[in-house]
Amino acid sequence: MNSSAPATHAAAETGAPIFTREGGTWLPDDYAAGPFRGLYGGAVAGLVAGAMEEHAVSEGWGTPLSATVLMLRPAPVAPLVTEITTLQAGRRNAVAECLLKDEAGKIISKGHAIFVKPDAMPGTRPLTAIPTATNWAGDPATLPLWANGKRPEHVNFLHILEMREERDAADKPGMRWSRMTRPLLPFASLLATLFTAADNASAFWLSGSGAWPTNFGFPNVDVSVHVSRAPQGEWIGVTPDAQLHETGMGMSEGALYDRTGLVGRTCQTNILVPRG
């Protein structure tokens, strides 16, 4: 894997967002595509979560602390529509729902998110200090590129997702870091940043398990993220784990970090399918 996209993909280095908005419609560019059919799962999840976060900002709801996105069917590389519904809005917390639809009105994906306003707790000590010890104390950009992060020749999301990996003294893989080299949306979104990294937990785990390359596909039909605070910076680290079974069912998960320490966790439901 090269540290930059091939010359034919120079547009990947521009600062334009992957999804642009025209009226009430989202327009994905070619780099939103996955390596196979339709949009990349992390791009879909990031769009759904980011749309809910934009709504939450306009309502003054506070920090997004959890979100779940269901992948109901492959998303086309075509115009899409998000519909936001407020499920609950209280003094401290609020819940939003988002439907992602194609132009014909078919539901592609569905998500919900919880937002919480901070409230000072005078006279009380923090119940949990923010951990400061990740394996890497410096800049993730100086780490080796993820060895299994091969970019297909055709334009797709992997050309604008930079992925790097830590390795221990025995050269075993540890935390994987990723960041977008272009913004996903035309506004800043903490949830979009988290979901584009979290969506890769199963691939990160498989690459270090000795089963890579796999003789099966492992699509996830959902992605959940829970955090205790807002992440800082553009890099998100994932320490992955998974349980995949010969029944064709499984789950993957991971602890999520920013450069200051632990942020939260992600979990996914995986369906294993034969390749070919």
Side-chain angles (χ1 to χ4, degrees):
M1 175 177 175
N2 297 322
S3 59
S4 61
T8 53
H9 303 320
E13 306 305 322
T14 70
I18 302 304
F19 289 98
T20 55
R21 188 158 41 194
E22 188 174 286
T25 302
W26 292 100
L27 305 176
D29 74 9
D30 290 343
Y31 288 92
F36 304 110
R37 180 166 59 107
L39 298 183
Y40 195 81
V44 174
L47 171 60
V48 171
M52 291 187 286
E53 187 174 354
E54 181 188 36
H55 180 76
V57 169
S58 71
E59 296 291 332
W61 283 349
T63 302
L65 291 190
S66 74
T68 297
V69 177
L70 302 175
M71 312 292 194
L72 301 177
R73 50 183 53 86
V77 185
L80 299 166
V81 176
T82 50
E83 295 180 1
I84 310 294
T85 301
T86 299
L87 300 182
Q88 187 264 349
R91 186 184 72 85
R92 288 289 309 280
N93 68 289
V95 183
E97 179 182 80
C98 177
L99 297 180
L100 180 67
K101 298 181 178 181
D102 64 15
E103 288 187 294
K106 182 182 294 185
I107 299 175
I108 301 296
S109 182
K110 179 179 181 179
H112 66 263
I114 298 173
F115 302 85
V116 177
K117 293 180 182 178
D119 196 7
M121 303 282 287
T124 62
R125 292 182 301 171
L127 300 178
T128 303
I130 296 176
T132 57
T134 61
N135 294 336
W136 182 252
D139 184 354
T142 64
L143 290 167
L145 290 161
W146 179 39
N148 295 110
K150 182 180 179 182
R151 291 168 166 164
E153 285 302 312
H154 69 278
V155 168
N156 72 91
F157 198 74
L158 294 177
H159 287 282
I160 45 85
L161 186 63
E162 182 179 353
M163 295 178 283
R164 296 182 177 268
E165 63 180 344
E166 300 177 18
R167 304 190 77 87
D168 62 20
D171 201 33
K172 293 183 178 179
M175 190 180 302
R176 284 20 176 261
W177 293 91
S178 64
R179 67 175 174 181
M180 298 283 293
T181 60
R182 285 175 57 192
L184 185 72
L185 301 167
F187 51 83
S189 171
L190 299 176
L191 283 177
T193 298
L194 287 165
F195 272 93
T196 55
D199 181 66
N200 292 302
S202 51
F204 287 155
W205 180 83
L206 280 163
S207 71
S209 69
W212 193 273
T214 65
N215 60 0
F216 56 87
F218 44 93
N220 52 295
V221 295
D222 66 357
V223 188
S224 294
V225 165
H226 290 256
V227 299
S228 62
R229 61 181 177 87
Q232 301 176 35
E234 59 184 348
W235 287 101
I236 298 296
V238 181
T239 302
D241 197 4
Q243 300 175 41
L244 305 177
H245 303 286
E246 292 181 356
T247 57
M249 298 182 289
M251 61 162 282
S252 52
E253 60 179 331
L256 301 175
Y257 290 81
D258 62 13
R259 290 179 62 184
T260 68
L262 183 68
V263 175
R265 299 197 69 83
T266 180
C267 192
Q268 305 170 19
T269 301
N270 293 103
I271 297 176
L272 311 187
V273 296
R275 291 198 187 276

